[in-house]
Amino acid sequence: MIARLRTRLPFLRPRPDDAAEVDEVAAVVERLAVLLSAGVPSATAWRYLSEAGGSNMLAAAASAAGRGEPIALALDEAIRAQGPSAPSDGREAREARGPAGRRERAGGWAVLAAAWAVASESGAPLTTSLRELGAALRDEAQLRREIRTSLAGPTASARMVLALPLVALAFGSVLGFDTATVLLGNPVGLICLVLGVAFLVVARRWSRSLAARAAAFDDGAGLELELLAIAMAGGASVERARRCVVDALAAQRIPVRGEGAVVETVALAERAGAPLVDLLRAEARRLRRIARTEAATRGAALGVRLMLPLGVCVLPAFVLLGVAPLLISVVTGTLGGAA
């Protein structure tokens, strides 16, 4: 019965865990690295994983590998068939988006497809590349879970506070005050009802917007640097590696956002004569740490920021829906008794 209700009512469905998909892809990447390092051919490795996991993505990749077709292209077609990647709450995403519109997420399977395309094009050793990619995906999954954990407390508190006006309304009815009649049958009560509901709607939207902004983070932090390191590990020149990475990201519809960090890292490697691959991976790890710190900071500040809709909207709604009907009921009852 509960399962049917959750299926038919969207607000009862459990929120999907974004970290689970990234963890799933990380596990696939790590298993691929182990199988390839053991000498298992690429097509056979994909087939083994498909038989063990049963995912549509794995089945598409295994089928393409068995036919000798590009695996990245097969993964891209499977991603398109599955539908666009979206945050766990679409309404929050619409409220959190900026003037430029919604930014597409770098989903785990899209990242794997891009990395596989880069490694195949540049001739990079797949085992090493996959191990580095698996570590990066594990970092991203951990970051997603940390954000969700830090937001759980403030979000639950906001939901409880938003319910206080309705609780006060029900409590007045239990005490014997005819609050429902006052709100629906009295002109002043109708005004209180309309204003109170309006305040609650604004408070709910405001709270969700604050939570969505706190949950937003750069899920592609360091990705371009990581892919460039993979391409460089295959012996490609800097220009060819960058072109390969840009093409792979464009094929998976992942925006390029690390151009400045790439230029700075390449310039540092040229001046110092240091290994560019190691510098790129170190810079990618640094960017992921920065993303984690910024996300944790926003999560910690969310509890304080949620006080704004509480003070501006929820408290007036509490007075209008909970306190005002009681006072009106008492006054009208007193005047009616006196008459």
Side-chain angles (χ1 to χ4, degrees), residues 6-19:
R6 286 180 175 176
T7 302
R8 296 181 179 181
L9 301 178
F11 60 87
L12 291 180
R13 297 173 189 167
R15 297 182 62 183
D17 184 6
D18 290 339

Side-chain angles (χ1 to χ4, degrees), residues 190-207:
L190 283 173
I191 294 174
C192 291
L193 177 62
V194 172
L195 290 177
V197 171
F199 273 121
L200 281 180
V201 171
V202 172
R204 185 173 181 272
R205 290 183 174 273
W206 193 352
S207 300

Side-chain angles (χ1 to χ4, degrees), residues 28-312:
V28 169
V29 170
E30 291 167 349
R31 290 174 180 176
L32 274 173
V34 172
L35 292 175
L36 294 177
S37 64
V40 178
S42 173
T44 307
W46 280 108
R47 179 166 56 82
Y48 286 160
L49 292 178
S50 175
E51 292 172 353
S55 168
N56 292 335
M57 301 295 180
L58 288 174
S63 177
R67 297 191 302 268
E69 298 176 355
I71 294 175
L73 180 59
L75 286 174
D76 180 47
E77 292 176 353
I79 293 170
R80 291 174 183 269
Q82 189 178 26
S85 179
S88 57
D89 195 324
R91 288 168 295 184
E92 290 182 6
R94 288 193 294 270
E95 293 167 0
R97 65 185 178 184
R102 179 176 169 186
R103 177 174 64 84
E104 294 185 56
R105 286 199 301 121
W109 289 108
V111 171
L112 173 56
W116 193 275
V118 169
S120 300
E121 180 68 22
S122 63
L126 282 174
T127 301
T128 304
S129 302
L130 290 174
R131 290 188 190 278
E132 294 292 338
L133 178 63
L137 290 172
R138 290 293 185 192
D139 285 346
E140 181 182 339
Q142 181 62 26
L143 174 57
R144 289 180 183 274
R145 289 199 172 96
E146 289 175 359
I147 293 174
R148 188 165 186 171
T149 300
S150 65
L151 297 180
T155 303
S157 300
R159 290 172 180 170
M160 292 183 63
V161 171
L162 285 172
L164 285 180
L166 301 179
V167 172
L169 179 61
F171 188 67
S173 300
V174 171
L175 291 178
F177 296 97
D178 197 2
T179 53
T181 302
V182 170
L183 289 175
L184 298 175
N186 188 296
V188 179
L190 283 173
I191 294 174
C192 291
L193 177 62
V194 172
L195 290 177
V197 171
F199 273 121
L200 281 180
V201 171
V202 172
R204 185 173 181 272
R205 290 183 174 273
W206 193 352
S207 300
R208 292 175 68 88
S209 177
L210 291 175
R213 290 174 185 173
F217 72 101
D218 188 2
D219 53 0
L223 175 59
E224 186 179 356
L225 293 161
E226 201 74 55
L227 295 181
L228 186 59
I230 292 175
M232 294 294 298
S237 64
V238 175
E239 291 303 322
R240 181 172 180 272
R242 293 179 66 178
R243 186 168 59 253
C244 180
V245 170
V246 170
D247 292 344
L249 292 175
Q252 299 302 321
R253 301 169 305 284
I254 300 175
V256 177
R257 299 189 297 274
E259 189 68 23
V262 169
V263 173
E264 181 181 348
T265 305
V266 171
L268 175 61
E270 291 176 350
R271 289 197 307 269
L276 179 56
V277 173
D278 293 340
L279 286 176
L280 288 170
R281 285 174 175 157
E283 182 66 12
R285 288 191 292 269
R286 186 185 73 85
L287 292 177
R288 288 195 294 270
R289 287 195 299 269
I290 291 175
R292 176 181 284 109
T293 302
E294 291 177 348
T297 302
R298 288 194 298 269
L302 179 62
V304 177
R305 291 177 180 172
L306 285 175
M307 297 298 292
L308 290 174
L310 169 63
V312 176

